[in-house]
Amino acid sequence: MRRLQKASLFIFSLLGLIFQEQGFATTITAEPTPAVSEVVQTVSPNPEIVETAPSVAETPVQPEAEQEKTVEPAAEELLTPVKAEEDTSEDEGDVSVVQSILSPESEEENNIPEPTVVDMRMVLSQKEKLENILKEYESLADKSGKTPQWTCLNRSFRVEDDDPALITAKKQLHLLGFFAVSKKGSDLKFTSSFSRPLERAVRRFQEIHFLEPDGVIGRKTCIALNMTPQEKIKKIKLNLERWKELENSLQGKYVLVNIPTYKLYAMEDRKIDLTQPVIVGMKSRETPIFTSNMNSVVLNPAWGVPVTIFIKDKLRKVLQDPQYLSRSGFTVTDHDGELVTDSSVDWRHVSLHHFPYTVRQLPGKNNALGAIKFNLDNKEAIYLHGTPQKNLFHKVARPFSSGCVRLKTPQKLATWALKGTQYDNPEKLQEKIGTGHTSAILLKKPIPVYFTYITVWVDGKEQLLFSDDPYNMDKRDYARFNL
């Protein structure tokens, strides 16, 4: 009851400022970063271990491609407490810092509350929480007044730019509590210039909305600022339907991969055993939404390159550099299984419909799958694995793979999955990996893995949070659920 009262206080406080400013503010979004709790054993203490040395004749599975596109590392995802940026350049008169809408009755008038995080221990109560907050939003939506809006164009605004659209952007950030302006009497002064305080406010807004924190107002930032009360209500209803589909399944020990927040959770009896960042499929090669079972953990995996991925991602490199394959640890065999040198193949004449070769990358530090792969039961050949491209985890949004899910710390998930065996010890696991031999450790009891697409959460403080929508799946699901 106390949590519901807090939610009601927040909404009515927000409404009060809306009447004053004739606008509506989006709530703060935060990426879930729950704490790690004790691991619970469910794996058989004596799993079957199949030892195999790297072999060229090994039949490749259908894994995903190594993402070759270079992405410069950006700032880490930070959710540190912030204060509203005060832009004294807006007016030379007395400055009155505007109180944050998130705590309008607080005695600490100039402070924004600490950003909250999603508590996955509440995962099975999300449906009930969303239902309660939905009622409050629906009862107040008609009274919210006109929302400050501006047209999101394919252009960006940055420091020293001057444009009338920045007046609206400042109003939106001001209502959200990120941006404070000078005040004379009852009039707030907003100018059309892009100041340094505005840049800092934009950067903090981006950090908690799954946007690159570059301080530049581009199309994605504009869209996030423009979210209306009606759009929020629609998103809440959509995610209620998604939770209804999940609520009876999330029990016991399982792994949950939520694609929009780029996070993996290892769960046991409604507790988080561990969580870590992931990389999911790019928009043109989406990670599917489905449920599977983890059946084995492979140490030092080889990568059998699918023909489609070789043609799309590797062929250009091979044509530019004849030594690319051998230098990167790839082997090539013909349709009889005989090794051929990559330089002996006329790569100009291969295609999706004519590819009489098998390309395989041997285990090693440059292997696209990293040191560990987690096999899942599915026809799409989707699985979890490591990656040598650790720099990509510096990005806020991480849709970079060819469909499979890359893990930042696969060793932690492996020790969790192998609890009760000699390999639940990180040192023992690393020692085994250090041999360089491919080892497939079969799980006697499969672990369910749920790939989900949840874009609205309620945190432990009853605050509504909106996450990224990398595949624009919300729009597709509106039709599926008749919303």
Side-chain angles (χ1 to χ4, degrees), residues 162-182:
D162 195 292
D163 192 280
L166 294 175
I167 296 177
T168 302
K170 287 181 178 180
K171 289 180 179 180
Q172 292 169 323
L173 288 166
H174 168 71
L175 288 172
L176 286 167
F178 288 92
F179 188 70
V181 296
S182 300

Side-chain angles (χ1 to χ4, degrees), residues 297-327:
V297 179
V298 183
L299 308 182
N300 299 309
W303 179 35
V305 186
V307 174
T308 54
I309 289 175
F310 184 90
I311 297 298
K312 291 179 180 179
D313 297 343
K314 301 294 182 184
L315 183 57
R316 174 180 54 84
K317 295 185 180 224
V318 173
L319 293 174
Q320 293 175 349
D321 179 6
Q323 302 302 315
Y324 168 76
L325 291 177
S326 57
R327 189 178 64 255

Side-chain angles (χ1 to χ4, degrees), residues 83-115:
K83 290 185 178 181
E85 288 297 335
E86 180 181 338
D87 191 352
T88 56
S89 65
E90 298 293 340
D91 190 280
E92 296 181 356
D94 295 333
V95 177
S96 176
V97 181
V98 180
Q99 192 175 349
S100 167
I101 64 167
L102 298 178
S103 57
E105 301 300 326
S106 172
E107 295 180 359
E108 299 179 4
E109 296 183 347
N110 299 337
N111 293 329
I112 294 179
E114 293 186 12

Side-chain angles (χ1 to χ4, degrees), residues 242-251 253-259 287-295 375-384 405 446-454 480:
R242 289 169 173 166
W243 281 118
K244 288 177 184 178
E245 293 181 334
L246 287 169
E247 62 181 343
N248 293 326
S249 301
L250 303 181
Q251 300 177 11
K253 183 171 183 174
Y254 62 91
V255 172
L256 186 148
V257 178
N258 194 45
I259 293 170
T287 298
I289 310 303
F290 73 110
T291 300
S292 183
N293 285 313
M294 181 189 302
N295 55 55
N375 282 328
L376 308 178
D377 296 323
N378 67 100
K379 296 179 180 179
E380 292 81 7
I382 298 297
Y383 49 85
L384 315 176
V405 174
I447 300 174
V449 180
Y450 301 92
F451 293 82
T452 62
Y453 203 91
I454 304 298
R480 181 163 74 95

